[in-house]
Amino acid sequence: FIHVFRCPGPAAIGLLTSLISGVATVASLPLSWLGARAGKSVVILLGASAFLLEALVLLVCTRAQLGRWSVLVPLYTAHGLGRAVWEGPNRALIADMFSTNREGAFASTIMQNGIASTIGYFAFPSMSPAAMAAVCVASLALSIAGYLAAAAQHARERATARLASLEEPFLPGPSREPSGTGERAQSER
């Protein structure tokens, strides 16, 4: 067991993998608190940035550098933080943004995840580690840009819906006449 801590290798896989789940578990409550105060978008961008950081480290570090605890622990911690966001706040945000078609939104998310996993399963074995990391970096960068565009569109739609739902008393018309001869004035008597 002591050997695991001296030299990360195959014996350290279980320990590092458990770090992902541990970080995700510990980070869930603070992320929930942050989402309630700063908004779910902040949390989503934090989680996406953690995954992006992970992919960037894999892209720029050599195999020898990746074999050090000083790189592995932050790398697996970033993955745990990204997973914490994926498991909770991401799903809550989907439910908020697609409140009229939640089933379709969740089905689409699962389908996209499945398609990406399938492509990775078949494509990654024939790719170099650097190429795999580059694909992940590009995918994450596009995901962040896509999320920002979707959030902006959602905000515009909500603002338009709020404007459309303003009640009639805010509109000029016979019911707002100061003389008291309008329909509203007569019904209030």
Side-chain angles (χ1 to χ4, degrees):
F1 184 73
I2 299 293
H3 176 69
V4 170
F5 290 105
R6 280 194 215 133
C7 177
I13 291 172
L15 181 66
L16 289 167
T17 303
S18 68
L19 181 62
I20 294 171
S21 299
V23 168
T25 301
V26 171
S28 293
L29 286 175
L31 287 170
S32 177
W33 179 88
L34 179 63
R37 277 143 192 89
K40 290 181 186 109
S41 289
V42 171
V43 175
I44 294 298
L45 292 172
L46 179 66
S49 297
F51 280 142
L52 181 59
L53 174 67
E54 177 186 15
L56 284 169
V57 167
L58 292 171
L59 182 63
V60 300
C61 287
T62 64
R63 189 173 280 245
Q65 290 169 323
L66 290 172
R68 295 185 187 139
W69 284 110
S70 60
V71 175
L72 288 172
V73 170
L75 189 67
Y76 278 76
T77 300
H79 191 89
L81 181 61
R83 182 173 171 198
V85 170
W86 175 256
E87 297 296 335
N90 180 56
R91 291 180 181 165
L93 187 72
I94 290 169
D96 290 349
M97 290 181 86
F98 299 97
S99 60
T100 59
N101 189 7
R102 288 184 180 146
E103 295 83 6
F106 283 109
S108 176
T109 301
I110 291 168
M111 184 184 76
Q112 290 173 30
N113 193 26
I115 289 171
S117 296
T118 301
I119 291 170
Y121 178 78
F122 288 108
F124 278 13
S126 62
M127 297 172 73
S128 70
M132 287 187 274
V135 167
C136 292
V137 167
S139 174
L140 287 158
L142 289 172
S143 295
I144 291 170
Y147 170 73
L148 291 171
Q153 176 66 30
H154 181 67
R156 283 191 298 274
E157 288 173 2
R158 286 183 61 199
T160 301
R162 271 189 244 134
L163 287 173
S165 70
L166 291 176
E167 294 182 333
E168 192 174 293
F170 294 105
L171 300 174
S175 62
R176 304 273 298 171
E177 292 175 2
S179 64
T181 58
E183 284 179 35
R184 186 179 192 143
Q186 290 175 2
S187 67
E188 290 174 355
R189 290 185 198 167

